Amino acid sequence: MSTSEPPLPEAPGFTHLFVETPGLRSHVATAGDGEPVVLLHGFPQHWWQWHAIAPVLAGRGYRVLCPDLRGAGWTTADDPRIERETRLTDLLGVLDALEVGRAHFVAHDMGAITAVQLAYGHPERVRTLVQLSVPPVFMSFSPKLMSGMRHMPGLIWHRPGRSLAGLFSAGYVARPMPAETLATHLAPLARPEIDGAVRRLYRGMVLPVSTQFARGVFSKQRLRPPTLAVFGRKDHPYDEGLVRRLCGDSAKYAERFELAFIDDAAHFITDDAPDAVAELALDWFDRAESAR
């Protein structure tokens, strides 16, 4: 891995692969052996987001795969364009290359967009889904959710070289993030390809999917894989009462769906409460599988 720039951060127990698919060289960090679990990072993070969670899952007998999605981490693309389902197409290619037909998925923030697209479009590939810090896409829209989008204008109009450290400020984390951790999350943005992808991700993927959500597109479809949506109790505006009210009777939209809330955690829930996230995911895998 000495050829990687910037250098890959250290994380015990991981093996690093580079998977070649048409037009894309995807970095994938792996840990453990067994039934596959795919962890999809959020923004502006990458595979290292899971450094405290993947080893727990691997220790319970799972093969954990942490890909850097297009526009993040150490993945490189021939074509800089990113459209609504570009990352979904990329992910399917990586799964096929690694001979992963079906897996459990845990996804945070922007990674949950890709996971949800997979769950709706290719439910046969998804054993279970745990989505973190994002509303279920069948949920009714409310103006009370608008404050959860307060970060978007600055990212839609992101200026190259502008620091994204503010995304980890109070309001997004339950406690201040150590400077070393913050630097590790943001290190790949030193690559022009990754910094330049910020606008493309928000304009090409996040805005179109957010529009689908606001228009109720997903409420007209059926979510078939067992899905758990998890929020931190300090992640506003996603307060438990509001989320439960807007979800309504989830049986109308999903085969099996539950909500969970973690104390002392905000939007960056995998940093605030990695142990709680890991245990909720493992419990969901077990309960969903035993109910089949």
Side-chain angles (χ1 to χ4, degrees):
M1 296 300 108
S2 60
T3 59
S4 297
E5 290 296 338
L8 287 164
E10 293 185 7
F14 285 88
T15 298
H16 298 273
L17 310 173
F18 283 90
V19 179
E20 303 281 352
T21 54
L24 194 69
R25 186 173 187 257
S26 297
H27 168 250
V28 183
T30 73
D33 294 293
E35 192 172 280
V37 178
V38 180
L39 309 183
L40 301 179
H41 62 80
F43 177 89
Q45 297 169 294
H46 45 82
W47 72 272
W48 192 80
Q49 174 179 357
W50 308 106
H51 73 279
I53 293 173
V56 177
L57 306 185
R60 299 286 187 92
Y62 291 97
R63 177 191 179 199
V64 186
L65 306 170
C66 308
D68 282 337
L69 300 172
R70 183 187 293 251
W74 284 262
T75 289
T76 57
D78 292 346
D79 188 338
R81 290 177 297 178
I82 298 174
E83 298 176 343
R84 190 173 68 194
E85 294 190 349
T86 300
R87 279 185 162 187
L88 172 62
T89 301
D90 293 344
L91 178 61
L92 287 166
V94 170
L95 294 177
D96 289 344
L98 294 176
E99 299 182 342
V100 175
R102 198 161 179 248
H104 300 281
F105 288 82
V106 182
H108 176 251
D109 183 73
M110 197 182 286
I113 293 176
T114 303
V116 165
Q117 290 172 330
L118 184 70
Y120 277 96
H122 304 270
E124 74 283 355
R125 307 296 293 261
V126 183
R127 299 187 73 88
T128 63
L129 170 60
V130 179
Q131 61 175 69
L132 307 170
S133 305
V134 291
V137 290
F138 60 77
M139 192 172 84
S140 299
F141 180 77
S142 167
K144 293 182 178 180
L145 300 176
M146 291 301 295
S147 64
M149 304 176 186
R150 60 192 181 277
H151 60 288
M152 287 180 60
L155 297 169
I156 292 168
W157 299 101
H158 174 71
R159 298 192 309 273
R162 179 175 174 267
S163 173
L164 297 184
L167 294 177
F168 296 90
S169 61
Y172 297 99
V173 293
R175 64 191 63 83
M177 188 174 290
E180 183 178 355
T181 299
L182 179 60
T184 302
H185 285 317
L186 297 178
L189 285 156
R191 293 173 49 206
E193 176 182 356
I194 303 304
D195 193 25
V198 174
R199 281 194 184 195
R200 290 188 284 272
L201 284 166
Y202 272 86
R203 295 179 180 189
M205 184 179 71
V206 176
L207 275 179
V209 174
S210 296
T211 300
Q212 287 182 307
F213 168 57
R215 290 177 175 172
V217 170
F218 294 98
S219 65
K220 300 178 179 64
Q221 303 177 46
R222 189 79 176 161
L223 179 59
R224 302 200 178 279
T227 299
L228 176 70
V230 184
F231 293 91
R233 292 194 184 277
K234 295 184 177 181
D235 188 4
H236 305 295
Y238 302 112
D239 302 298
E240 182 171 0
L242 176 63
V243 171
R244 290 193 182 280
R245 178 171 64 82
L246 294 178
C247 282
D249 181 6
S250 62
K252 294 179 180 179
Y253 313 107
E255 295 293 320
R256 182 173 183 182
F257 175 84
E258 291 184 19
L259 289 163
F261 295 82
I262 295 177
D263 294 334
D264 200 25
H267 177 77
F268 288 100
I269 195 169
T270 56
D271 285 276
D272 286 333
D275 292 342
V277 169
E279 290 305 320
L280 275 174
L282 289 164
D283 176 67
W284 186 246
F285 300 164
D286 290 342
R287 290 196 292 120
E289 290 292 289
S290 64
R292 292 184 187 277

